Amino acid sequence: DMKVTQMPRYLIKRMGENVLLECGQDMSHETMYWYRQDPGLGLQLIYISYDVDSNSEGDIPKGYRVSRKKREHFSLILDSAKTNQTSVYFCASSLWGTGGYEQYFGPGTRLTVL
Amino acid sequence: SQWGEENLQALSIQEGEDVTMNCSYKTYTTVVHWYRQDSGRGPALIILIRSNEREKRSGRLRATLDTSSQSSSLSITAAQCEDTAVYFCAPRTGGYKVVFGSGTRLLVSP
Protein backbone atom coordinates (compact mmCIF):
# COMPACT_ATOMS: atom_id res chain seq x y z
CA ASP A 1 0.00 0.00 0.00
CA MET A 2 1.66 3.21 -1.22
CA LYS A 3 1.80 5.69 1.58
CA VAL A 4 3.29 8.97 2.74
CA THR A 5 3.21 9.56 6.47
CA GLN A 6 3.78 12.74 8.42
CA MET A 7 4.51 13.27 12.09
CA PRO A 8 3.25 14.96 14.08
CA ARG A 9 -0.20 15.77 12.69
CA TYR A 10 -0.68 18.75 14.96
CA LEU A 11 1.94 20.89 16.66
CA ILE A 12 1.85 24.04 18.76
CA LYS A 13 5.09 25.89 19.38
CA ARG A 14 6.12 29.23 20.80
CA MET A 15 7.94 31.80 18.74
CA GLY A 16 11.67 31.15 18.83
CA GLU A 17 11.39 27.42 19.46
CA ASN A 18 12.81 24.88 17.04
CA VAL A 19 10.45 22.71 15.02
CA LEU A 20 11.03 19.34 13.39
CA LEU A 21 8.50 17.92 10.95
CA GLU A 22 9.06 14.40 9.71
CA CYS A 23 7.92 12.64 6.57
CA GLY A 24 8.23 9.05 5.47
CA GLN A 25 7.32 7.12 2.33
CA ASP A 26 7.30 3.42 1.57
CA MET A 27 7.47 3.61 -2.22
CA SER A 28 11.25 4.09 -2.67
CA HIS A 29 10.59 7.32 -4.53
CA GLU A 30 13.71 9.32 -5.21
CA THR A 31 12.05 12.73 -5.22
CA MET A 32 10.41 14.26 -2.19
CA TYR A 33 8.93 17.68 -1.47
CA TRP A 34 7.87 19.97 1.33
CA TYR A 35 5.02 22.43 0.73
CA ARG A 36 3.08 24.80 2.90
CA GLN A 37 -0.55 25.68 2.41
CA ASP A 38 -2.17 28.78 3.81
CA PRO A 39 -5.94 29.41 3.85
CA GLY A 40 -7.36 30.18 0.42
CA LEU A 41 -4.06 29.58 -1.31
CA GLY A 42 -2.50 26.79 -3.23
CA LEU A 43 0.55 24.87 -2.17
CA GLN A 44 3.87 26.67 -2.11
CA LEU A 45 7.06 24.67 -2.62
CA ILE A 46 9.59 25.05 0.18
CA TYR A 47 12.21 22.45 -0.71
CA ILE A 48 12.64 19.58 -3.12
CA SER A 49 14.93 16.60 -2.59
CA TYR A 50 16.15 14.55 -5.53
CA ASP A 51 17.66 11.83 -3.37
CA VAL A 52 19.74 11.39 -0.21
CA ASP A 53 21.71 14.57 0.54
CA SER A 54 20.59 16.13 -2.77
CA ASN A 55 18.28 18.97 -1.82
CA SER A 56 17.27 22.12 -3.65
CA GLU A 57 15.47 25.27 -2.61
CA GLY A 58 11.93 25.72 -3.78
CA ASP A 59 10.04 28.98 -4.09
CA ILE A 60 9.92 29.95 -0.38
CA PRO A 61 12.93 28.40 1.40
CA LYS A 62 13.67 31.29 3.74
CA GLY A 63 13.40 30.27 7.38
CA TYR A 64 13.46 26.55 6.61
CA ARG A 65 16.02 23.83 6.13
CA VAL A 66 15.72 20.17 5.28
CA SER A 67 17.52 16.91 5.86
CA ARG A 68 17.41 13.69 3.88
CA LYS A 69 19.72 10.99 5.15
CA LYS A 70 17.65 8.03 4.00
CA ARG A 71 15.63 7.78 0.81
CA GLU A 72 12.43 7.07 2.72
CA HIS A 73 12.71 9.97 5.17
CA PHE A 74 12.62 13.72 4.60
CA SER A 75 12.65 16.22 7.45
CA LEU A 76 11.71 19.90 7.55
CA ILE A 77 13.36 22.02 10.23
CA LEU A 78 12.38 25.45 11.41
CA ASP A 79 15.12 27.04 13.47
CA SER A 80 13.57 29.63 15.77
CA ALA A 81 10.02 29.46 14.50
CA LYS A 82 8.14 32.62 13.65
CA THR A 83 4.43 33.33 13.91
CA ASN A 84 4.18 33.74 10.13
CA GLN A 85 5.25 30.12 9.76
CA THR A 86 1.89 29.04 11.15
CA SER A 87 0.51 26.92 8.33
CA VAL A 88 -0.32 23.42 7.17
CA TYR A 89 2.74 21.62 5.88
CA PHE A 90 2.52 18.83 3.33
CA CYS A 91 5.14 16.36 2.34
CA ALA A 92 5.00 14.55 -0.99
CA SER A 93 6.98 12.05 -2.98
CA SER A 94 6.86 11.53 -6.71
CA LEU A 95 7.32 9.00 -9.44
CA TRP A 96 7.73 9.65 -13.13
CA GLY A 97 4.97 8.00 -15.10
CA THR A 98 3.05 8.52 -18.36
CA GLY A 99 4.75 11.82 -19.08
CA GLY A 100 4.17 13.50 -15.80
CA TYR A 101 5.15 13.33 -12.21
CA GLU A 102 2.42 12.10 -9.93
CA GLN A 103 2.97 13.39 -6.46
CA TYR A 104 1.73 11.39 -3.51
CA PHE A 105 0.90 13.58 -0.54
CA GLY A 106 0.89 12.93 3.15
CA PRO A 107 -2.00 13.98 5.40
CA GLY A 108 -0.32 17.21 6.46
CA THR A 109 0.96 18.73 9.71
CA ARG A 110 -0.90 21.67 11.14
CA LEU A 111 1.68 23.91 12.82
CA THR A 112 0.72 26.80 15.04
CA VAL A 113 3.42 29.18 16.23
CA LEU A 114 2.29 31.39 19.10
CA SER B 1 -10.29 30.55 -13.37
CA GLN B 2 -7.44 29.89 -11.00
CA TRP B 3 -3.79 30.75 -10.86
CA GLY B 4 -1.29 31.36 -8.12
CA GLU B 5 -1.96 35.04 -7.66
CA GLU B 6 -5.73 34.71 -7.67
CA ASN B 7 -7.84 33.98 -4.63
CA LEU B 8 -9.48 30.64 -4.21
CA GLN B 9 -12.46 30.39 -6.54
CA ALA B 10 -15.71 28.87 -5.38
CA LEU B 11 -18.45 27.10 -7.30
CA SER B 12 -21.73 25.79 -5.93
CA ILE B 13 -23.93 23.43 -7.96
CA GLN B 14 -26.70 20.90 -7.50
CA GLU B 15 -26.16 17.18 -7.72
CA GLY B 16 -26.50 15.94 -11.30
CA GLU B 17 -25.28 19.15 -12.91
CA ASP B 18 -22.19 19.42 -15.06
CA VAL B 19 -19.39 21.77 -14.05
CA THR B 20 -16.22 23.09 -15.62
CA MET B 21 -13.23 24.57 -13.80
CA ASN B 22 -10.71 26.64 -15.69
CA CYS B 23 -7.03 27.24 -15.17
CA SER B 24 -4.67 29.61 -16.92
CA TYR B 25 -0.95 29.59 -16.31
CA LYS B 26 2.04 31.72 -17.21
CA THR B 27 4.80 29.26 -18.00
CA TYR B 28 4.75 27.09 -21.08
CA THR B 29 4.18 23.48 -20.19
CA THR B 30 3.47 20.22 -21.90
CA VAL B 31 1.84 18.53 -18.91
CA VAL B 32 -0.92 19.69 -16.60
CA HIS B 33 -1.88 17.74 -13.52
CA TRP B 34 -5.23 18.14 -11.79
CA TYR B 35 -5.35 17.35 -8.10
CA ARG B 36 -8.27 17.05 -5.75
CA GLN B 37 -8.04 17.90 -2.06
CA ASP B 38 -10.66 16.73 0.39
CA SER B 39 -11.08 18.60 3.63
CA GLY B 40 -8.32 17.77 6.10
CA ARG B 41 -6.32 15.69 3.65
CA GLY B 42 -3.46 16.07 1.24
CA PRO B 43 -4.07 16.54 -2.49
CA ALA B 44 -4.45 13.49 -4.72
CA LEU B 45 -3.88 13.31 -8.48
CA ILE B 46 -7.10 12.70 -10.40
CA ILE B 47 -6.09 13.28 -14.01
CA LEU B 48 -3.01 14.24 -16.00
CA ILE B 49 -3.07 15.61 -19.52
CA ARG B 50 -0.21 16.05 -21.95
CA SER B 51 0.09 18.51 -24.82
CA ASN B 52 -0.34 15.83 -27.46
CA GLU B 53 -3.68 14.77 -25.99
CA ARG B 54 -5.75 17.99 -26.03
CA GLU B 55 -8.49 16.07 -24.20
CA LYS B 56 -8.33 13.31 -21.60
CA ARG B 57 -11.20 11.42 -19.98
CA SER B 58 -11.36 9.40 -16.80
CA GLY B 59 -14.80 8.27 -15.73
CA ARG B 60 -16.90 11.41 -15.24
CA LEU B 61 -13.84 13.65 -15.51
CA ARG B 62 -12.68 15.37 -18.67
CA ALA B 63 -9.56 17.51 -18.92
CA THR B 64 -8.50 19.72 -21.78
CA LEU B 65 -5.24 21.44 -22.51
CA ASP B 66 -4.57 24.33 -24.88
CA THR B 67 -0.87 25.09 -24.97
CA SER B 68 -1.36 28.05 -27.32
CA SER B 69 -3.50 29.91 -24.77
CA GLN B 70 -1.72 28.30 -21.80
CA SER B 71 -4.94 27.11 -20.27
CA SER B 72 -6.51 23.90 -19.06
CA SER B 73 -9.96 22.90 -17.90
CA LEU B 74 -11.46 20.16 -15.81
CA SER B 75 -15.08 19.14 -16.31
CA ILE B 76 -17.17 16.88 -14.14
CA THR B 77 -20.25 15.31 -15.65
CA ALA B 78 -23.30 14.69 -13.47
CA ALA B 79 -21.60 15.86 -10.30
CA GLN B 80 -22.21 13.93 -7.09
CA CYS B 81 -22.06 15.14 -3.51
CA GLU B 82 -18.82 13.22 -3.08
CA ASP B 83 -17.23 15.45 -5.73
CA THR B 84 -17.24 18.25 -3.16
CA ALA B 85 -13.58 19.20 -2.75
CA VAL B 86 -10.95 21.75 -3.77
CA TYR B 87 -9.53 21.16 -7.23
CA PHE B 88 -6.08 22.38 -8.22
CA CYS B 89 -4.45 22.57 -11.58
CA ALA B 90 -0.69 22.06 -11.46
CA PRO B 91 1.29 22.66 -14.63
CA ARG B 92 4.68 21.06 -14.80
CA THR B 93 7.21 23.88 -14.87
CA GLY B 94 10.38 21.93 -15.46
CA GLY B 95 12.20 18.97 -14.06
CA TYR B 96 10.36 17.50 -11.13
CA LYS B 97 8.44 20.65 -10.24
CA VAL B 98 4.85 21.61 -10.69
CA VAL B 99 3.22 24.84 -9.60
CA PHE B 100 -0.14 24.65 -7.91
CA GLY B 101 -2.88 27.10 -8.73
CA SER B 102 -4.94 28.72 -6.02
CA GLY B 103 -7.65 26.14 -6.43
CA THR B 104 -11.38 25.98 -7.06
CA ARG B 105 -13.63 25.02 -4.16
CA LEU B 106 -16.51 22.97 -5.52
CA LEU B 107 -19.60 22.40 -3.41
CA VAL B 108 -22.15 19.90 -4.71
CA SER B 109 -25.47 19.98 -2.89
CA PRO B 110 -28.13 17.26 -2.93
Side-chain angles (χ1 to χ4, degrees):
Chain A
D1 187 25
M2 299 185 290
K3 202 171 182 180
V4 177
T5 57
Q6 291 186 238
M7 293 292 289
R9 293 294 314 279
Y10 302 90
L11 187 60
I12 299 175
K13 288 286 193 177
R14 297 197 178 277
M15 192 169 58
E17 292 184 331
N18 297 331
V19 176
L20 174 64
L21 305 183
E22 307 221 61
C23 174
Q25 50 103 354
D26 61 2
M27 298 167 278
S28 297
H29 288 170
E30 293 175 348
T31 307
M32 296 186 73
Y33 312 76
W34 276 106
Y35 294 90
R36 65 177 281 175
Q37 184 177 34
D38 298 303
L41 298 179
L43 285 82
Q44 297 175 276
L45 180 65
I46 305 171
Y47 267 93
I48 182 172
S49 176
Y50 297 102
D51 210 330
V52 172
D53 285 330
S54 180
N55 307 317
S56 181
E57 294 182 345
D59 300 319
I60 54 163
K62 188 176 180 182
Y64 304 94
R65 61 184 176 93
V66 292
S67 176
R68 190 152 177 220
K69 297 302 182 184
K70 293 183 179 180
R71 179 171 282 186
E72 61 269 24
H73 288 130
F74 191 33
S75 301
L76 180 69
I77 302 122
L78 288 67
D79 295 314
S80 188
K82 300 173 180 52
T83 56
N84 61 8
Q85 292 178 308
T86 292
S87 189
V88 180
Y89 290 86
F90 288 99
C91 174
S93 68
S94 74
L95 177 69
W96 175 263
T98 61
Y101 285 100
E102 175 172 0
Q103 294 188 29
Y104 295 82
F105 283 84
T109 294
R110 185 175 294 275
L111 172 66
T112 301
V113 182
L114 302 175
Chain B
S1 63
Q2 61 170 282
W3 186 238
E5 289 77 21
E6 296 176 15
N7 292 329
L8 176 69
Q9 306 293 305
L11 292 173
S12 184
I13 62 172
Q14 298 292 119
E15 203 169 28
E17 293 182 352
D18 299 340
V19 62
T20 297
M21 291 166 272
N22 297 302
C23 169
S24 58
Y25 49 88
K26 296 180 180 178
T27 307
Y28 178 78
T29 187
T30 58
V31 181
V32 171
H33 308 73
W34 281 90
Y35 282 83
R36 165 190 172 136
Q37 185 176 27
D38 295 313
S39 180
R41 305 188 72 169
L45 183 71
I46 54 174
I47 198 166
L48 178 160
I49 182 166
R50 293 171 290 180
S51 56
N52 63 351
E53 294 177 305
R54 290 200 58 121
E55 176 183 298
K56 182 87 168 280
R57 291 180 184 267
S58 177
R60 294 183 293 107
L61 304 177
R62 172 180 171 263
T64 66
L65 176 59
D66 185 343
T67 54
S68 62
S69 64
Q70 295 185 180
S71 63
S72 178
S73 71
L74 176 70
S75 299
I76 303 176
T77 302
Q80 309 292 310
C81 290
E82 52 264 33
D83 295 325
T84 292
V86 178
Y87 292 84
F88 293 98
C89 75
R92 181 184 168 210
T93 57
Y96 295 76
K97 294 183 182 179
V98 298
V99 178
F100 284 82
S102 52
T104 298
R105 186 182 300 278
L106 177 66
L107 174 63
V108 184
S109 301

